[in-house]
Amino acid sequence: MALFLIAGNFLFAQQRYLDEVFSSVTVTNGIVYGNNITVLTGTPAASNLLMDVYEPAGDILAQRPLVLLFHTGSFLPAIINGQPTGGIKDSAIVEMCTRFAKRGYVAAAVSYRLGWNPISPVQEVRTGTLINAAYRGVQDAHTCVRFFNKDAATTNTYKIDGGKIALGGIGTGGYISMAFA
């Protein structure tokens, strides 16, 4: 799909997926993509896995590439991790999802299970709980991909192409994406 804009005597073509071809996006917040056991509170408990999905407003394509973006946060909640970041509402994640959606992708800001013991005086405990936190993050990434693949094969609510899914992230979210690969 190409849109042509005339500016002065020049003709510019916008190309889907490279340039912003949509002026606005539709965001669906708080979608439950799975449920798993969290250890954040110290006692294992069931917890919903949530995401926000960004779609190009007014897009009529039936199948679009999907970009899953994972936030930073050192596998701990914001503030507790010593940072103001650590969730799917982080400004950088929101901006990236918005920009991808304006280019014609479906983008999702994906949460994952948090929790490990960074204050243990025992190095093996700190290391072991951090490795387990990363493993849980990768499991949650797989759960999210399965959610979208199942949706694409049935109702296709989000109009994605199940064969075109990319993962990315910032900080800890980048670790999850790399470990997923």
Side-chain angles (χ1 to χ4, degrees), residues 125-145:
V125 171
R126 291 191 309 271
T127 303
T129 57
L130 181 57
I131 289 169
N132 283 330
Y135 182 70
R136 286 189 301 273
V138 173
Q139 286 177 321
D140 296 345
H142 279 281
T143 300
C144 191
V145 169

Side-chain angles (χ1 to χ4, degrees), residues 34-41 43-49 113:
N35 184 288
N36 213 324
I37 303 299
T38 183
V39 297
L40 186 60
T41 60
T43 304
S47 176
N48 285 334
L49 301 169
R113 290 174 288 164

Side-chain angles (χ1 to χ4, degrees), residues 1-5 12-16 19-21:
M1 172 183 196
L3 301 175
F4 297 96
L5 303 173
F12 296 100
Q14 289 180 302
Q15 189 173 10
R16 186 183 183 105
D19 302 309
E20 290 187 0
V21 295

Side-chain angles (χ1 to χ4, degrees), residues 23-180:
S23 59
S24 61
V25 301
T26 302
V27 182
T28 308
N29 295 302
I31 298 167
V32 176
Y33 71 87
N35 184 288
N36 213 324
I37 303 299
T38 183
V39 297
L40 186 60
T41 60
T43 304
S47 176
N48 285 334
L49 301 169
L50 303 174
M51 67 179 165
D52 294 342
V53 176
Y54 296 70
E55 299 176 81
D59 191 10
I60 58 170
L61 250 122
Q63 290 191 320
R64 305 170 289 196
L66 170 66
V67 179
L68 302 178
L69 294 171
F70 297 86
H71 60 82
T72 191
S74 303
F75 297 108
L76 293 169
I79 309 305
I80 293 172
N81 64 21
Q83 307 167 44
T85 57
I88 59 176
K89 302 292 186 194
D90 289 352
S91 61
I93 290 293
V94 169
E95 182 67 20
M96 289 170 62
C97 285
T98 301
R99 288 184 183 209
F100 275 117
K102 285 183 175 183
R103 286 170 169 73
Y105 295 89
V106 174
V110 184
S111 70
Y112 49 89
R113 290 174 288 164
L114 305 174
W116 66 288
N117 188 354
I119 60 172
S120 173
V122 180
Q123 175 64 40
E124 290 79 15
V125 171
R126 291 191 309 271
T127 303
T129 57
L130 181 57
I131 289 169
N132 283 330
Y135 182 70
R136 286 189 301 273
V138 173
Q139 286 177 321
D140 296 345
H142 279 281
T143 300
C144 191
V145 169
R146 283 192 301 272
F147 171 89
F148 277 108
N149 277 328
K150 180 181 178 185
D151 178 75
T154 56
T155 60
N156 205 9
T157 304
Y158 305 101
K159 298 180 183 175
I160 67 138
D161 180 344
K164 295 180 181 173
I165 300 176
L167 280 73
I170 299 172
T172 311
Y175 298 145
I176 291 171
S177 302
M178 294 297 289
F180 179 95

